[in-house]
Amino acid sequence: MQETVTNNNYITAPDGKIDVKSLTLSELTECIKEMGEPAFRAKQLYSWLHVKQARDYEEMTNISKALRDKCREKFSLVTLKSVQVQESKLDDTKKFLFALPDGNIIESVFMKYRFGVSLCISSQVGCRMGCRFCASTLDGVVRNLQPSEMLDQIYSIARITGEKIHRVVVMGSGEPLDNYNNLLRFIALLTDENGMNLSQRNLTVSTCGIVPNMKRLADEKLSINLAISLHASNDDKRKELMPIANRYSIAELLDACRYYFEKTGRQLTFEYSLVSGVNDTKEDAAELAELIGPLNAVINLIPVNPIKERSFVPTDRKGAEAFKNKLEKSRINVTIRREMGRDIDGACGQLRRRHLEENS
Ligand code: SAH
């Protein structure tokens, strides 16, 4: 698939101009110098983009009108347009549908916990990984998101809700390690001390297990958290749920996990969606405990969120508790994820799909 489109090596927006929100501070400084302006202007501009999170050059009051006009000429300021917000009546979860500059639609989720606000963002329009229970992948991938488009999900929600964002999880639609270069640039911008300065420890990337890119990520010397979507305790069952299991065996996946832990020291999380009668038996729990026991890891159980296109049934509360107890007896750290926003198409890609269906 096509990676980031570049022009003079810079990412461009659909209007052909440089996507200024995807530039690092040093790249922006180069551009500003080329425009015959002093370097400190780049820092001011960068701060307007990533700290104050301005949506228009007009907001940048300490930058002269002349320079603002030059910037408008040269750069595209990518901002997402909120097209729908669904608020849960059960908890403080809000689901946002955003329009991208080219009209594609993505979704992001706002969740309020006791420790603060956590955002779940998308990394691609659609997904090509084909996990059977997932709504995001039913029509395949449309395109990768640019770093600016990942960032602006966060900036837009912060602005709309007025809330401070404590944690970000790249667990929305898309496979982040299938959009590797843009993901890394997004991480660099989001955690830059001159920008929003989110702590890397408060950022989690979730992958279905693209083994070579997990190893690459391990070598990047970051301290972000990695979550791995496992969903089965042996290769045969995993292949039924996740096509990626045909490419990489669980043994290879766990090798990459060990490598990640050795390189980063960050505790790993395994996501395990409980599907009634498919992966939730006592034997499944025993097999899972054996796999994960030797790793310093947490297992996150979540009863599968049913989607209308498939007939998967979630494990009930009692079954989930029994599965959890069985793992705990083997001294595994395990949590049952609170199902947030169940009443608002909570699962990956469901809201976007409904929106597309209703508007087609
Ligand atoms: N592609 C990445 C991140 C996006 S999916 C990954 O696979 O990890 C985020 C998580 O939600 C994954 O663990 C995914 O398997 C899970 N998921 C997707 N659809 C789901 C559903 N209907 N019910 C429960 N979990 C689901």
Side-chain angles (χ1 to χ4, degrees):
M1 188 170 40
Q2 195 186 3
E3 280 281 342
T4 302
V5 184
T6 57
N7 176 2
N8 293 333
N9 286 329
Y10 296 131
I11 296 172
T12 54
D15 60 10
K17 297 180 192 176
I18 294 172
D19 172 359
V20 69
K21 206 177 270 181
S22 290
L23 295 180
T24 62
L25 179 55
S26 61
E27 290 167 343
L28 183 59
T29 307
E30 280 308 305
C31 289
I32 289 287
K33 281 204 243 162
E34 274 169 29
M35 289 157 76
E37 297 283 338
F40 77 91
R41 291 288 177 206
K43 199 144 186 200
Q44 283 179 328
L45 182 55
Y46 191 85
S47 172
W48 277 110
L49 294 171
H50 299 286
V51 182
K52 299 177 202 85
Q53 300 168 0
R55 290 179 69 86
D56 196 289
Y57 294 106
E58 292 313 304
E59 293 177 36
M60 304 178 184
T61 43
N62 63 353
I63 295 178
S64 71
K65 166 122 180 34
L67 180 55
R68 276 185 272 151
D69 287 344
K70 272 207 245 177
C71 287
R72 201 175 283 112
E73 187 96 337
K74 189 170 175 87
F75 301 127
S76 193
L77 209 172
V78 169
T79 50
L80 308 191
K81 215 162 69 205
S82 170
V83 290
Q84 193 187 336
V85 186
Q86 269 196 344
E87 301 196 21
S88 170
K89 291 181 186 66
L90 306 175
D91 50 49
D92 258 331
T93 303
K94 295 183 180 64
K95 203 144 193 182
F96 291 82
L97 272 186
F98 288 114
L100 302 174
D102 66 357
N104 271 302
I105 300 284
I106 54 164
E107 61 185 61
S108 327
V109 189
F110 167 101
M111 291 160 288
K112 203 162 183 175
Y113 294 97
R114 276 184 298 273
F115 65 77
V117 167
S118 184
L119 294 189
C120 173
I121 66 154
S122 295
S123 56
Q124 294 177 316
V125 182
C127 184
R128 61 173 179 159
M129 293 298 122
C131 298
R132 300 280 301 154
F133 43 80
C134 179
S136 301
T137 200
L138 289 166
D139 293 324
V141 71
V142 178
R143 69 171 176 86
N144 284 330
L145 293 190
Q146 301 290 17
S148 58
E149 294 168 329
M150 290 188 245
L151 284 173
D152 207 60
Q153 295 172 60
I154 300 162
Y155 298 174
S156 287
I157 293 178
R159 179 174 280 234
I160 293 168
T161 61
E163 298 269 3
K164 182 166 168 49
I165 311 302
H166 292 87
R167 291 185 53 96
V168 173
V169 299
V170 189
M171 262 192 203
S173 295
E175 168 50 50
L177 297 191
D178 189 35
N179 184 13
Y180 190 85
N181 293 343
N182 288 339
L183 175 78
L184 275 197
R185 185 174 272 269
F186 157 76
I187 295 171
L189 291 166
L190 181 67
T191 61
D192 180 4
E193 59 185 10
N194 294 302
M196 187 168 147
N197 197 17
L198 189 92
S199 162
Q200 289 189 359
R201 294 170 166 260
N202 293 341
L203 177 64
T204 299
V205 169
S206 179
T207 180
C208 64
I210 300 183
V211 164
N213 286 354
M214 288 169 67
K215 291 188 177 155
R216 265 170 91 189
L217 189 64
D219 289 330
E220 302 284 354
K221 298 198 172 65
L222 300 172
S223 44
I224 62 167
N225 309 298
L226 190 63
I228 300 98
S229 300
L230 188 61
H231 305 317
S233 54
N234 62 55
D235 287 323
D236 288 342
K237 278 197 185 183
R238 195 161 189 261
K239 283 177 193 168
E240 277 172 33
L241 294 171
M242 305 176 73
I244 192 76
N246 294 304
R247 287 240 302 274
Y248 308 107
S249 67
I250 290 181
E252 291 170 303
L253 180 59
L254 295 186
D255 257 352
C257 290
R258 276 186 288 273
Y259 186 76
Y260 191 86
F261 181 69
E262 274 164 25
K263 288 278 169 178
T264 65
R266 304 296 295 159
Q267 187 179 48
L268 299 158
T269 302
F270 290 90
E271 306 285 327
Y272 196 100
S273 298
L274 290 163
V275 188
S276 180
V278 174
N279 62 3
D280 67 344
T281 65
K282 267 195 217 141
E283 293 72 34
D284 290 310
E287 207 171 21
L288 183 60
E290 218 161 284
L291 284 180
I292 303 306
L295 294 161
N296 178 17
V298 179
I299 299 182
N300 227 326
L301 300 173
I302 177 167
V304 75
N305 219 321
I307 58 172
K308 69 175 172 27
E309 292 81 0
R310 301 272 191 260
S311 55
F312 292 122
V313 176
T315 303
D316 62 18
R317 194 87 221 151
K318 229 175 105 202
E321 286 293 342
F323 199 88
K324 176 171 179 262
N325 289 341
K326 179 99 184 142
L327 291 172
E328 279 174 342
K329 284 213 180 92
S330 307
R331 297 174 194 278
I332 308 271
N333 288 318
V334 46
T335 58
I336 299 183
R337 202 191 308 159
R338 269 206 294 153
E339 294 159 70
M340 307 281 280
R342 186 69 178 267
D343 56 328
I344 52 168
D345 297 313
C348 240
Q350 279 186 48
L351 179 61
R352 167 174 178 266
R353 260 192 95 69
R354 192 148 66 87
H355 177 85
L356 295 182
E357 280 168 8
E358 285 170 4
N359 292 278
S360 63

